[in-house]
Amino acid sequence: MNTEKKKLELYEHNLEAYNELINFINNNKNNKICIIRPTGTGKAFIELKFIEENIDKKFLHITSYTENLNQFKRYVDEYLDNPNIVYSTYAGLKNICNDYEDYFDYIITDEFHHIGAPKWTASLNKLSNQNPNATIIGLSATEKRYSDITINGTPRDVSEEYFNNNIIANLSLSDAIMNGILPVPNYIYGIINIVEILNNCKNDKNLYKNAKKNIEKKINNIKSVINENIKRKNGKYIIFCRNIEHKESVKYEALSEWFIDFNVSVYDIDSTKSVKKNRENIDNFINNNDDTLKLLFSVNMLNEGVHIKGVDGVILSRYTESNNVYFQQIGRALSSDYIEYNNQNPVIIDLVNNIKNIANIVDFWIPLYNNLKEINRISEKECESLFMLKFNSLNSNLLIELFNFINKIKIKPIEEWFKELDKFYEKNGRYPKTNEGSIGHWLNDIKVKARQGKASDYILSELEKRGINLDFKIKSTKERFKELDKFYEENGRYPKKRDGSIGEWFIDIKVKARQGKASDYILSELEKRNINLNTIYAKAKSMEEWFKELDKFYEENGRYPNTKDKSMGNWFKDIKVKARQGKASDYILSELEKRGINFSSKCKSIEEWFKELDKFYEEDGRYPKERDGSIGEWFKNIKVKARQGKASDYILSELEKRNINLNIIRTSIRGRSIEEWFKELDKFYEENDRYPNTNDGSIGSWLKKIKVKARQGKASDYILSELEKRNISIISLIIDDKLIELDKFYKENGRYPEWNEGKIGQWLLSTKTRIKHGKASDYILSELEKRGINTNNKYKSAEEQFIEFDKFYKENYRYPRAKDGEIGRWFLNTINRVKQGKASDYVLSELEKRNISLNSKIRSAEERFIELDKFYEKNGRYPKTNEGGIGGWLRDIRADVRQGKASDYILSELEKRGIKSNKKRK
């Protein structure tokens, strides 16, 4: 830990937010407040300053991911002197509830939009009830949950739902860029798959022809885009990928093609690596200041809250439709300190066209650049160079935009679109869907514009003439209930989610009513229809009926229900919670009191749980199982936490006192302990001389799961040591699956796959390429060697390839084809490179020496013998050396026979024709 702390100073924009925070706390009784600041503006330092000024107070810092938590801990270590902070992720809040009661002065919720998740909201509410005097402060780049859409079609707003709209400082991303707080990025967007563009217009031959011609002529490839826009050859760039397999594919393409003109240093982070290894790679990436271009490949590790200094840009190769993921990714290139250390714009290269995938993102960027022009932050010329269309994606309007961009194809008038629409209707008796070609895309876009109020009167009237329902008015709650009644009359039941929009609305309205978020009008309408909010379709029971059912349950079971007892248990839990919160009626309170049900108790302390555990052991002579009620559930959870390293020292010592073994993990497969599984693993190895794979039944599946846990850092020390004893690699899991697939292919086909035979063929090719680059592990090399697959890790030179080429020709009297293995693929690639003008002078001269014509067809030995017979029929003799290509070929064949280099097939064919070649040259 650092002994000398850095001085904590806030940027001016954060100092304003901090002063607003202090003012609100001092002058308001409300204990929930939030601050909204875009990624890169340094909102964490507002929290650090607040802790520094209140160093004697007790804080709880909650955030979304472990990496975010570790980053904040590093900041605390750098700037603060022994603050009283408890750290947790949202997923770990349950532990905090068990261990801390009436303890915290302040609860800081970083990335607070996560609070909207039901399980985390419940945990936070429980914690705030246990700490009623704590002030809850939220920090986030967004208050919206874009994955959680309301019935009005808008994202849920956590600042409104949880913080009661107490937003003391709200700075949007566009305002931060406009005001010079964040840098203006150089945004290049597009899509790399030209085939997809052409497929979208292939039904129109002229359009297809013109599109293909202009696309091939006008649109640059990725390599040229990167060369044009990466100005700092020793800069730092993050490349976002979809998953591990995609990362490897992108990395291979990037290093072999995109960045071939750069000297690069490569780092990567993903969930298969330990937290320590990922942190080490990030630190190496940050601290590397040599002359190489630094590339960090990331899979789901830097999407939220993690700030990396000195990043010059990001490359988006991960497709996403999530606003949050999109802004968090580009946010890695946008930070306040970038302006201090750089005198050029950060670069965002959007390879997968996320700018078009996500609703309203284009509407964000284009007005922003226009506004920057208006206030003279950038010039017209700068705007054009900063926001560039290098490629494009397709729906009908985007196709128009593409063709308009390359100035070759005229935009179709609106009248012609409507004529095409009528033609479709006449042919099909209905209007097109979105996936039915350009007319479907156009109709969808025009309806969206009409709903948004952006369509002209002409378009609206034409749609009205055709009876096309735009449904652009949001139905009122009253109209929804009428629709609900109509559905009930027609179907004799209320709708389910699968019954379309009315079903989705009905589910949402019931959820809101259960959560206490529905209006009095909605509640009264549901009550009129006897709709029970705790069950789905049954009529609502009265409170008297619930209590009768409760008594019946008690008589039958000798206990009151828990949440596992379905609807009865859920109702009983809800009623006790309401009673504790003071929300239950006098009738409910009196009924609970009659039955001696205690509802006023707070969460049990950990000491009380252990006392109850000891009591259970004394009475039953064993420790409880999950089925033994709340003590069993608690005991299971506490053991799981201990195994995961999430339990406190106190809990671990208490478990140790009672000799409770944490390594005995009960599984759903035969209930075996971990020791028994390892015994079975050893038995399998003795019988088969190998460890099992997933095809070997339950032991194979278990080994796979245990290796996954070990890779994710979730396995106990005992498991890790047992795997190490047996020399079992936890990294080889994906490779093992591929090897199983490879063996399966060999068993079915008697050979290993070529590169064009599915994913396994592509994997084998890329693995061989990695071997040639010296990037493959010893494990891969040994596994391929076992199977007799050539793993020569040295590239053959052109001279060596031509020697092998000549050898093949002498043995087969023809040139190799692609199916003839490596030499065939090399020859095919060489021919293609010559045709493209990419071959060296040496290659051209060697091909010329061998009289290889790039325009003529290469003939097989069988074809040559047919040509030889044709010559004989015509001339009554075999050809001389100077009589064309067939004469030269026959001379070469005879020479090979004399030297003993001809194949059995050649010898037999010559013998059939009575051609002798046993003469020696004089």
Side-chain angles (χ1 to χ4, degrees), residues 360-518:
N360 302 321
I361 293 299
V362 172
D363 295 339
F364 166 81
W365 283 110
I366 293 176
L368 173 62
Y369 280 98
N370 290 335
N371 290 335
L372 288 169
K373 283 192 293 182
E374 285 178 19
I375 63 172
N376 296 320
R377 277 280 314 278
I378 57 175
S379 66
E380 182 82 34
K381 188 175 180 182
E382 284 176 318
C383 182
E384 288 174 6
S385 65
L386 287 173
F387 196 64
M388 287 185 284
L389 173 63
K390 288 291 179 184
F391 315 99
N392 215 323
S393 170
L394 256 288
N395 62 32
S396 59
N397 282 350
L398 298 181
L399 178 61
I400 290 167
E401 185 180 332
L402 169 66
F403 292 153
N404 202 25
F405 169 69
I406 57 180
N407 297 318
K408 286 290 178 183
I409 294 178
K410 292 181 180 178
I411 296 173
K412 195 185 290 187
I414 200 73
E415 292 83 0
E416 287 184 37
W417 279 114
F418 276 113
K419 283 179 186 175
E420 194 174 329
L421 186 66
D422 294 335
K423 192 175 175 184
F424 186 98
Y425 188 86
E426 286 169 17
K427 186 178 178 182
N428 300 280
R430 60 175 177 82
Y431 290 114
K433 297 175 184 176
T434 310
N435 58 359
E436 293 184 292
S438 59
I439 186 63
H441 284 294
W442 173 82
L443 181 60
N444 180 60
D445 294 340
I446 221 74
K447 283 163 73 177
V448 169
K449 283 186 178 178
R451 280 199 294 271
Q452 293 170 347
K454 295 179 181 178
S456 65
D457 293 337
Y458 172 76
I459 290 173
L460 291 171
S461 65
E462 290 297 313
L463 291 173
E464 200 174 330
K465 279 181 193 175
R466 289 160 180 83
I468 295 170
N469 179 23
L470 302 174
D471 191 27
F472 55 85
K473 184 187 173 187
I474 295 169
K475 292 177 184 175
S476 67
T477 306
K478 196 173 180 180
E479 289 172 319
R480 284 291 191 185
F481 274 112
K482 283 181 182 175
E483 194 176 336
L484 185 68
D485 294 336
K486 188 179 176 185
F487 186 96
Y488 188 85
E489 286 169 17
E490 292 173 357
N491 298 276
R493 63 173 176 85
Y494 287 115
K496 299 178 183 178
K497 195 171 184 178
R498 64 172 181 259
D499 293 316
S501 61
I502 185 62
E504 290 173 2
W505 171 83
F506 186 52
I507 295 291
D508 289 340
I509 219 72
K510 290 201 296 177
V511 169
K512 284 194 171 180
R514 280 200 294 269
Q515 293 170 347
K517 295 176 183 177

Side-chain angles (χ1 to χ4, degrees), residues 321-338:
E321 293 183 359
S322 164
N323 292 57
N324 283 350
V325 170
Y326 173 78
F327 280 117
Q328 291 291 352
Q329 286 184 354
I330 67 168
R332 303 286 75 80
L334 306 174
S335 66
S336 300
D337 55 24
Y338 186 93

Side-chain angles (χ1 to χ4, degrees), residues 8 10 18 43-54 72 75-77 79-80 85 139:
L8 186 55
L10 297 180
Y18 175 75
K43 57 184 179 291
F45 290 90
I46 300 174
E47 180 183 351
L48 289 169
K49 186 69 176 174
F50 186 76
I51 296 171
E52 184 184 54
E53 295 298 324
N54 296 275
F72 189 75
Y75 286 155
V76 169
D77 186 36
Y79 291 98
L80 302 180
I85 307 175
L139 297 165

